[in-house]
Amino acid sequence: MRRPATRKEEALWLLEKFVPGTGVNNLSVVFQVDGELEPAAVQEALDHLLARHAVLRTVFDADGGALWARTLEPGRAGLVLEETGPRGGSVAEELRPFIAEPFRQDGSLLVRARLLAHADGDVLCVAVHHSVFDGMSAQLFLGEFTALYEAFVSGNRAPAALRDEVPAWREPEPGEAAAAYWRGQLAGFRADALGLANERQGGAVTTLDGDEVTVRLAPGVKETVARLARDLRAPEAVVLLAAYYLLLAAHGAGPDLTVGSPVSLRDRGAQGALGYHINVLTLRLAVDAAESFRDLVARARKVFLGGMTHAGYPVDELLGTVERPDAAWRNLLFRHVFNYAPLAAPAEFTLDGQPAVQLTVENGSSKFDLEFFVTAHPDALTVRAAYCTEVFERADVELMVGRYEELLLTLGADPDRPVGGVPVWCERDRRAVAAANATERAVPWPTVAAAVARAVAEDPDAVAVEDGERRVTRRELWAAAEAGRALLAEAGVGPGDVVALAGRRGAETAAAVLGVWLAGAAYLPVDPDHPEQRIAYQLTDSDAKVVLAGPGVTVPGEGRKVLEMPGVAAGAGSGALPDPAAVAALAGPGDLAYLIYTSGSTGRPKGTLVGHGALANLVAHFADELAAGPDDTTLWLTTFSFDISALELWLPLVTGGRLAVAPDEARTGGAVLRDLLERHRVTVVQATPTTWRLVLPEVAGRLAGLRVLSGGEPLPGALAAQLAATGCELRNVYGPTETTVWSTAGRVGPGDGGRAGVGTPIANTRVFVAGPDGRDLPPGVRGELCIAGAGVAAGYHGRPELTAERFGTHPVHGRHYRTGDLARWLPEGTLEILGRLDRQIKLRGNRIELGEVEAVLLEHPDVRAAAVVVAEDPAGEPLLAAFVVASERPEAVDELWAHARGALPPSAVPQEYAVVDAFPTTGNDKVDYPALTREVARRRSAAAADTAGADVSGDPVVARLTGLWREALGREDVTEDTNFFAAGGHSLLGATLVMKLEGAFGVKLKLTDLFDNPRPAAFARRLRDLAPRGADGESPASE
Amino acid sequence: MAKPTSWNIVTVADSDEVVIAADFPATGRPEAQFTDLAPLLGDTRSFWQTVPPVVSPEEGVSGADYIKQWGAELADSGLVVRGVLGFCVGGVYAAALADEAARRQERPPVLVLFDPEQATVPTLYWQFEKLLGNLTTVLSAEEVTRVRDTSLALMQEHGEDVGGYAAGLHRVFRSVAVDAFGRLGLDAERTEEMIGLFSSFISYLSVAARLDVSDTWRRATAISSSSPRSGLNPHRSPAGEDSPLVAREIRFDTEHAQLLRSDAVAETVRELLRP
């Protein structure tokens, strides 16, 4: 007699449709004896157990799209014990494939057993499908097996208590009250806020591959939890659960959270029942940062006990009550699971006088993102954290367990402080970040000008600047600086004034900067090649008193005081040498050194005010880190109006080295740059990744031994690897203008692979990663990068509201700048930048960093630049569109799609690609993303016009699929663009449709195929991918 | 996670206090149950009711073992027991549970006994007789007579030995039940279930005799119905006086079967539980 499978059973089997070939629902009972097992007695005990427990003989049949359960007759179950010899692996290695081997819905038995003759003693492994078994069944099974084996091996009958047949226990029907309770609990819940900020990027999960970390918590934790339970008047399980909610919230989930919690449904009379008798409760709790742990526990207690009271209602019935993101196929109600066993079953026992130990062997899958299984042992708690390897890195899970451990101790010490203020860090986190931030050190000079003066005084006739064939000594440079000072003083310039310097890189501009400083003023670098309007804006906005114009530079606008930069004359400066102390006295560390304009992504350019102390610190740091000295020549390559230019300019002049001036062409022409490197024997060179990419083919052979800096943009991994492979000493440097050129630096070695990190903070700089609530985030957790310390600018010129918005004061780190960059600490205490915060999007429930997608596209050798935007398809569904500056090869787009597909989770792979000559930019040279979004729509309507009038249903495969869609959904208004899941289709209906599709087209399909291609038109393409000769027997070219 | 199996969580409240009730809540019994009373008490505290252990009288379970899981699960909950209620023989378990809670917490719980009865051989006999009455449609007249005669004979034989009498009743019941339920068309599984239920009930009634809670009762409040054969009513001397077995008796003009669904009773209990 067969019965329809219950919704619970169906749900288990449905999951396997998504991850065919895995044993995601396979459970096991494994133990090892210190000796040998008698195979005949093992077989007899197993036979007896199957004869005794009807549930172990239950099998499932898939028939006509429906699932049926039936129970085999006692004599017909036919469980055959497999015997294998040792193959040299650990028990887990030997048995995992046996456990993970999928069971089938074809009427075959859902139990199998293997006797492994292992070097350390025989091991018995019984693998059972979850639909007939659960965790409590495993303990019951082992207990009965032990008694039966001991009887049979001694030639006795089965013990009297184990002779009767046990019918399958039926769970009581849940009442309407339970249904109402759960509907109420989950009303208004949205499942898309459950992601953690330390998950792998993209978040799409396709395999459920799992792993686990088991940690024994510090001895004090157990007592702390027991004490909290007494003080807060809640079960220990609730204390531990409430802390788990806090852990998840501190990692970016919620605050409206759900946690799954498996509960055995066995009532008092059914404690001995084998079978699938658990429900995973969806326990919903919103974490409020302002409330105390005491109050959180009180609310968790109510949720927990309420859930227990209504535990009989299966989770699968609730799926319809939660708003679902379109493509999510896994559990929608929760992604994180918590379980607590207050009394650990002892692993050791004896079997027929032999010592035996129960072992845990995982099935290699994890249904949930993360599951914490806390077990109380007599002297300590352990946490077994099982996780999905597509969601988390092992190191991140280890850290989370460490943070949980410390969190419990912290909460134990003061359960009444607001939970938002409780740090969720572990010792390893603190050590790594503290070490990275231990950057305090003395700056050897008060100002850059004083340091240059000292170098001039020490060796006035040494060459300071090389510009083509021209050589300028330190003395000559200083003389021009003095001339500049005199000129400015005459013009009435004094301390507190701003002087604009409209010059190109060269000795005159370098001397002019020194002249401005000697006059007590600050300089504003102006790029003479910028549009007139922009220059005029900067001159007006900055209140520049005077403009010093370089040779051949004309300054736009009327009514400005424009003076010519003093020239640097050969043989000049034979008089007195500068007195470094006197120069140092001209400006304090807080006095303004320069004012520099950067373009915001929105609004008008803003001028950042940088002090002498900040600049002195930066130059001192790199002088030290690069060990720059008199033997070095640094290339001045970057345009003067870009703040990073300052490092190239001052590094050699303060360390007694030489400054080699490069023409603009060297930034794009590899041959020009190579020539400069050779001619000037350059040893230090800094450029943006854009430049490096362009020049690398020509200069690669000339970089060995050079100190190379790359910064200003993300350094793609492939480019980093190519650069490092040249034999140079490569550093990836990072920093916004607002914290003075660079704030972090990291060495990149040839073997580092992947995206290049940005290293650690430079001298006297402290960095922290802040969550949306301002909380300091530990390693692995993404948040906004904030920078404090010596480099932090004074603010924006004349923009107090903007200054207040971007610059803040942290109780520990002090004054800091919020960069707007998304970043995380890596576990060892280095930083990784993940793009702009405002470019983080959610697509169908998956968190996607557009910068991340761009970085992947940039890895493709043909791509010079990439920009990805979110647009809408004609049905109003969001899609990712990629624009690339790439070679004109027509096949490049296809390659790019394949490349992205190989490197990104499916949800983050752009659906549309367009090759353009250049990106539209805002007035400030930044990519104009809104314009690109509009471009997607424009291109789509143009394409639609091209195909207007074409018979859209002319494709026979699409037509057939549309018919099947119509049939499955039971509605007539289905077109080739109807989204199955948006038109009333759900996963069970989807599974039925997939089976029909398999039959109709003779291909093997996964349910994920339907989730990824929910429209007939798209599914037709998928079908053709699967059957290269064309699903309809026609050439794929007919598309 | 381990769900309490020895307690039926009737109400979950925000507070850290719980009111617990001891009873054998057989489905379909004519008497009102604590699940009727709980909603009348408001939702300021959680309300838990005992789920009796599945044991048979032959096992000879001690009183301490019988209440062990109740106590353990209650302690694990961390909740403070504000009140302990007991119905009929449940008053014995209520007192034992109140003693245990008092040892654990700063303030002892309020103990309220509804028509409390001690576990005696006559109590057992009358409960068994009541059950037999419910089975007259199932058993033949001849079977009823045989069972009744045997139960009376057993009563003589066991004197005050409640445990021995219970084991005897269990055997008698089983001897007729298998045939009788078979005639009704119940399969072996259902029949075992019915017998198991009876066995649990008779254990519940008899194990209480192994607990001496007389001192605790003397500190408790009893709520008495107007039914002459229920609770303290048959044991008054002189008739009409309050019972010396409890500290205080509050009497209602309500039948025993209605006691747990009476608004007036609920109002009184709310007052008694008020801090």
Side-chain angles (χ1 to χ4, degrees):
Chain A
M1 250 213 356
R2 68 180 194 177
R3 61 167 172 86
T6 64
R7 186 74 84 91
K8 272 173 71 172
E9 291 163 343
E10 250 178 14
L12 283 185
W13 287 103
L14 175 65
L15 186 69
E16 298 191 23
K17 289 236 100 195
F18 289 99
V19 283
T22 70
V24 64
N25 288 313
N26 295 6
L27 306 175
S28 62
V29 183
V30 184
F31 69 86
Q32 184 165 36
V33 294
D34 188 8
E36 291 178 0
L37 287 166
E38 176 55 56
V42 172
Q43 178 75 60
E44 198 179 350
L46 293 174
D47 288 346
H48 188 95
L49 281 164
L50 257 71
R52 172 169 153 79
H53 294 284
V55 70
L56 294 178
R57 304 191 306 272
T58 301
V59 298
F60 289 85
D61 300 280
D63 183 3
L67 189 62
W68 300 87
R70 65 194 160 92
T71 306
L72 301 176
E73 288 304 309
R76 304 196 42 196
L79 171 66
V80 179
L81 179 67
E82 295 175 27
E83 292 182 55
T84 56
R87 271 166 281 184
S90 70
V91 171
E93 286 162 1
E94 301 248 1
L95 291 177
R96 187 165 296 119
F98 175 74
I99 293 169
E101 174 71 25
F103 288 101
R104 293 191 301 275
Q105 327 167 30
D106 61 356
S108 58
L109 199 62
L110 302 178
V111 187
R112 59 173 171 260
R114 172 176 285 182
L115 179 56
L116 169 70
H118 193 267
D120 303 331
D122 282 359
V123 180
L124 180 68
C125 171
V126 181
V128 197
H129 194 264
H130 196 4
S131 57
V132 299
F133 213 65
D134 59 10
M136 194 180 265
S137 301
Q139 293 313 311
L140 295 166
F141 185 96
L142 184 60
E144 292 197 7
F145 176 88
T146 304
L148 291 166
Y149 176 85
E150 288 179 340
F152 296 147
V153 83
S154 323
N156 296 323
R157 287 182 65 199
L162 301 181
R163 280 183 207 150
D164 293 339
E165 186 177 342
V166 182
W169 180 65
R170 268 172 297 183
E171 293 161 16
E173 284 291 316
E176 180 47 38
Y181 175 82
W182 288 111
R183 275 197 299 272
Q185 283 290 301
L186 290 169
F189 180 70
R190 284 192 56 94
D192 54 8
L194 293 175
L196 303 190
N198 60 341
E199 290 175 6
R200 290 169 182 261
Q201 297 284 288
V205 170
T206 56
T207 66
L208 301 188
D209 284 349
D211 200 352
E212 61 95 26
V213 169
T214 299
V215 179
R216 191 178 182 84
L217 304 187
V221 178
K222 187 167 192 250
E223 289 87 80
T224 300
V225 171
R227 184 165 44 77
L228 279 169
R230 278 195 308 277
D231 291 355
L232 308 183
R233 296 172 175 178
E236 289 180 8
V238 168
V239 171
L240 290 160
L241 172 67
Y244 188 62
Y245 281 109
L246 270 189
L247 180 77
L248 296 174
H251 285 80
D256 186 359
L257 288 170
T258 49
V259 165
S261 202
V263 176
S264 167
L265 303 174
R266 294 167 179 83
D267 58 29
R268 248 193 134 165
Q271 293 296 303
L274 264 60
Y276 172 36
H277 298 308
I278 60 155
N279 274 345
V280 186
L281 308 184
T282 304
L283 303 179
R284 179 182 180 189
L285 189 68
V287 172
D288 174 0
E291 80 180 338
S292 66
F293 188 60
R294 185 183 298 277
D295 294 338
L296 181 72
V297 165
R299 289 194 299 117
R301 178 179 59 214
K302 187 176 184 189
V303 168
F304 175 85
L305 292 174
M308 293 292 179
T309 308
H310 302 290
Y313 191 75
V315 65
D316 310 282
E317 303 280 351
L318 297 168
L319 288 172
T321 62
V322 172
E323 202 171 317
R324 57 188 307 158
D326 187 36
W329 54 273
R330 292 185 311 150
N331 194 305
L332 294 165
L333 299 171
F334 50 83
R335 289 166 59 178
H336 310 102
V337 168
F338 182 82
N339 202 349
Y340 176 57
L343 285 172
E348 277 112 32
F349 60 104
T350 56
L351 185 64
D352 190 35
Q354 298 182 103
V357 60
Q358 191 179 0
L359 305 172
T360 304
V361 183
E362 306 289 332
N363 62 18
S365 296
S366 177
K367 284 191 211 184
F368 310 109
D369 287 4
L370 182 69
E371 176 179 5
F372 265 32
F373 197 141
V374 182
T375 304
H377 298 272
D379 53 344
L381 298 175
T382 58
V383 175
R384 193 177 122 263
Y387 62 98
C388 190
T389 53
E390 281 180 303
V391 179
F392 293 110
E393 308 266 3
R394 185 181 188 83
D396 284 316
V397 175
E398 287 170 348
L399 287 170
M400 285 180 84
V401 177
R403 288 166 199 154
Y404 184 65
E405 176 179 40
E406 243 194 77
L407 176 62
L408 288 166
L409 292 170
T410 312
L411 294 168
D414 182 5
D416 291 307
R417 68 194 273 200
V419 292
V422 176
V424 186
W425 286 53
C426 66
E427 184 55 29
R428 266 177 68 196
D429 295 330
R430 272 194 301 276
R431 265 208 310 271
V433 171
N437 273 331
T439 56
E440 205 168 310
R441 69 197 73 153
V443 180
W445 43 70
T447 63
V448 165
V452 176
R454 193 177 65 189
V456 174
E458 275 171 10
D459 188 356
D461 296 316
V463 171
V465 181
E466 297 182 6
D467 189 351
E469 296 306 317
R470 188 179 171 205
R471 298 290 179 269
V472 175
T473 66
R474 299 178 189 177
R475 187 198 295 276
E476 289 161 354
L477 191 70
W478 196 263
E482 286 288 359
R485 181 195 59 77
L487 184 66
L488 291 169
E490 203 176 295
V493 170
D497 288 333
V498 171
V499 176
L501 298 181
R504 299 194 169 81
R505 293 179 303 287
E508 280 71 19
T509 300
V513 176
L514 288 168
V516 171
W517 285 341
L518 291 176
Y523 74 94
L524 162 73
V526 171
D527 189 332
D529 298 327
H530 272 181
E532 280 191 10
Q533 197 188 346
R534 183 181 163 92
I535 295 174
Y537 170 81
Q538 292 184 4
L539 294 178
T540 306
D541 188 71
S542 64
D543 304 321
K545 197 158 188 181
V546 173
V547 182
L548 280 185
V553 173
T554 55
V555 177
E558 312 257 309
R560 299 184 200 284
K561 190 179 252 182
V562 180
L563 302 173
E564 202 173 306
M565 277 185 193
V568 178
S574 53
L577 291 171
D579 171 8
V583 174
L586 291 172
D591 290 333
L592 196 59
Y594 63 84
L595 165 59
I596 199 156
Y597 278 79
T598 53
S599 43
S601 44
T602 55
R604 55 203 166 98
K606 50 198 190 290
T608 301
L609 302 162
V610 176
H612 278 284
L615 185 63
N617 182 66
L618 169 88
V619 178
H621 171 87
F622 282 94
D624 180 50
E625 173 159 355
L626 300 176
D631 297 334
D632 284 313
T633 301
T634 301
L635 196 65
W636 194 4
L637 179 64
T638 304
T639 183
F640 179 53
S641 63
F642 187 3
D643 72 330
I644 73 171
S645 195
L647 178 61
E648 299 164 16
L649 169 59
W650 302 116
L651 180 74
L653 298 184
V654 304
T655 55
R658 294 177 182 216
L659 175 71
V661 179
D664 285 342
E665 303 80 64
R667 286 200 301 273
T668 48
V672 179
L673 181 59
R674 187 185 58 208
D675 182 50
L676 285 166
L677 297 179
E678 286 172 4
R679 197 140 46 92
H680 297 290
R681 296 175 309 284
V682 170
T683 56
V684 178
V685 57
Q686 162 179 282
T688 62
T690 299
T691 289
W692 285 123
R693 185 189 296 278
L694 292 170
V695 302
L696 196 57
E698 284 91 357
V699 303
R702 292 284 162 191
L703 292 179
L706 267 62
R707 278 147 284 169
V708 166
L709 299 182
S710 173
E713 297 158 12
L715 176 60
L719 181 60
Q722 288 165 11
L723 263 173
T726 62
C728 70
E729 194 181 303
L730 175 64
R731 282 176 178 80
N732 188 25
V733 283
Y734 160 84
T737 300
E738 287 85 344
T739 56
T740 314
V741 183
W742 305 131
S743 296
T744 76
R747 279 292 301 271
V748 181
D752 288 355
R755 186 209 320 264
V758 296
T760 53
I762 66 164
N764 302 305
T765 300
R766 290 174 308 280
V767 159
F768 60 100
V769 178
D773 54 357
R775 169 201 288 264
D776 261 17
L777 298 175
V781 186
R782 289 182 288 275
E784 183 176 19
L785 187 67
C786 298
I787 301 171
V792 179
Y796 297 116
H797 175 67
R799 308 281 289 275
E801 69 303 323
L802 192 59
T803 302
E805 185 190 317
R806 302 308 310 167
F807 293 83
T809 305
H810 187 278
V812 176
H813 308 297
R815 190 159 182 277
H816 64 274
Y817 173 68
R818 285 191 277 270
T819 64
D821 283 328
L822 189 70
R824 61 172 180 171
W825 288 105
L826 295 176
E828 68 275 18
T830 60
L831 286 157
E832 187 180 45
I833 308 292
L834 301 152
R836 292 293 298 169
L837 214 54
D838 53 13
R839 301 204 63 223
Q840 184 181 45
I841 58 137
K842 269 231 168 128
L843 199 61
R844 285 183 269 279
N846 296 306
R847 204 194 307 244
I848 295 168
E849 316 293 353
L850 295 176
E852 182 88 8
V853 180
E854 289 164 2
V856 165
L857 295 177
L858 273 171
E859 304 276 329
H860 190 277
D862 281 355
V863 175
R864 288 196 295 279
V868 175
V869 294
V870 182
E872 281 188 355
D873 74 4
E877 293 279 332
L879 64 81
L880 287 182
F883 289 84
V884 292
V885 179
S887 71
E888 284 301 320
R889 288 190 302 122
E891 64 272 26
V893 163
D894 274 353
E895 284 177 20
L896 207 52
W897 178 81
H899 168 78
R901 186 89 178 164
L904 288 166
S907 58
V909 176
Q911 288 99 328
E912 296 211 349
Y913 298 80
V915 179
V916 293
D917 294 333
F919 298 142
T921 53
T922 61
N924 318 320
D925 293 341
K926 301 256 175 182
V927 175
D928 186 347
Y929 289 106
L932 285 175
T933 305
R934 291 191 296 275
E935 176 68 8
V936 179
R938 196 196 62 75
R939 282 170 182 255
R940 279 194 158 269
S941 56
D946 284 351
T947 57
D951 181 4
V952 286
S953 57
D955 183 327
V957 177
V958 174
R960 195 157 168 216
L961 288 171
T962 308
L964 287 165
W965 252 239
R966 214 167 268 162
E967 199 181 300
L969 291 167
R971 49 197 285 178
E972 285 307 310
D973 58 347
V974 172
T975 70
E976 63 174 71
D977 264 328
T978 300
N979 181 326
F980 182 81
F981 297 101
H986 51 74
S987 50
L988 287 174
L989 212 53
T992 317
L993 177 59
V994 165
M995 275 184 275
K996 287 200 176 125
L997 292 167
E998 284 185 343
F1001 293 96
V1003 286
K1004 192 81 196 131
L1005 292 167
K1006 291 206 279 180
L1007 247 178
T1008 40
D1009 291 324
L1010 181 61
F1011 276 99
D1012 290 346
N1013 309 281
R1015 300 183 171 80
F1019 201 88
R1021 286 195 289 278
R1022 174 69 188 145
L1023 274 179
R1024 291 189 164 107
D1025 284 349
L1026 288 168
R1029 285 176 202 290
D1032 46 359
E1034 294 171 28
S1035 150
S1038 67
E1039 246 184 271
Chain B
M1 300 279 239
K3 171 170 76 104
T5 55
S6 68
W7 291 98
N8 170 26
I9 301 174
V10 181
T11 317
V12 179
D14 283 326
S15 109
D16 56 11
E17 290 189 335
V18 64
V19 174
I20 60 171
D23 192 10
F24 191 95
T27 28
R29 80 175 189 192
E31 293 93 347
Q33 307 194 20
F34 280 113
T35 46
D36 297 309
L37 180 70
L40 305 179
L41 298 180
D43 55 2
T44 52
R45 301 181 186 92
S46 295
F47 193 101
W48 291 21
Q49 180 178 236
T50 51
V51 177
V54 182
V55 291
S56 103
E58 285 96 338
E59 290 174 45
V61 174
S62 72
D65 279 348
Y66 194 85
I67 65 166
K68 191 173 166 187
Q69 201 179 344
W70 287 332
E73 288 186 347
L74 200 56
D76 283 349
S77 79
L79 296 171
V80 173
V81 182
R82 176 68 201 149
V84 186
L85 318 182
F87 184 72
C88 202
V89 173
V92 175
Y93 298 114
L97 289 168
D99 283 345
E100 203 176 282
R103 278 194 293 278
R104 237 186 8 250
Q105 57 197 45
E106 283 167 27
R107 282 175 49 194
V110 176
L111 178 61
V112 185
L113 310 171
F114 298 79
D115 274 348
E117 292 195 20
Q118 286 168 326
T120 59
V121 166
T123 307
L124 212 56
Y125 171 79
W126 284 114
Q127 291 289 348
F128 184 70
E129 179 62 25
K130 202 158 71 183
L131 185 113
L132 212 56
N134 293 340
L135 289 175
T136 44
T137 52
V138 178
L139 304 180
S140 70
E142 184 262 329
E143 280 169 332
V144 171
T145 310
R146 180 156 54 86
V147 170
R148 186 167 286 148
D149 290 351
T150 319
S151 73
L152 280 167
L154 283 169
M155 194 158 94
Q156 299 300 322
E157 179 190 332
H158 288 283
E160 291 187 4
D161 173 12
V162 179
Y165 182 49
L169 288 181
H170 184 232
R171 278 193 303 277
V172 176
F173 182 76
R174 173 175 279 280
S175 70
V176 293
V178 174
D179 284 349
F181 293 150
R183 284 200 302 273
L184 269 185
L186 293 191
D187 61 14
E189 193 187 335
R190 285 302 129 217
T191 301
E192 276 310 316
E193 199 180 322
M194 294 301 293
I195 295 173
L197 198 63
F198 173 78
S199 158
S200 292
F201 182 52
I202 213 87
S203 298
Y204 173 84
L205 294 174
S206 61
V207 174
R210 299 189 181 131
L211 292 164
D212 180 8
V213 294
S214 47
D215 284 352
T216 313
W217 273 25
R218 276 193 288 275
R219 294 193 293 272
T221 302
I223 289 186
S224 296
S225 71
S226 59
S227 301
R229 297 177 69 159
S230 296
L232 302 172
N233 292 333
H235 310 289
R236 299 180 194 282
S237 62
E241 289 287 302
D242 279 0
S243 170
L245 295 175
V246 294
R248 178 185 175 202
E249 206 185 342
I250 304 172
R251 293 155 79 166
F252 287 85
D253 190 19
T254 305
E255 277 179 40
H256 175 69
Q258 302 304 319
L259 208 53
L260 295 184
R261 61 170 73 98
S262 152
D263 286 329
V265 168
E267 176 57 36
T268 303
V269 175
R270 272 208 303 275
E271 274 307 312
L272 290 171
L273 294 175
R274 204 182 293 280

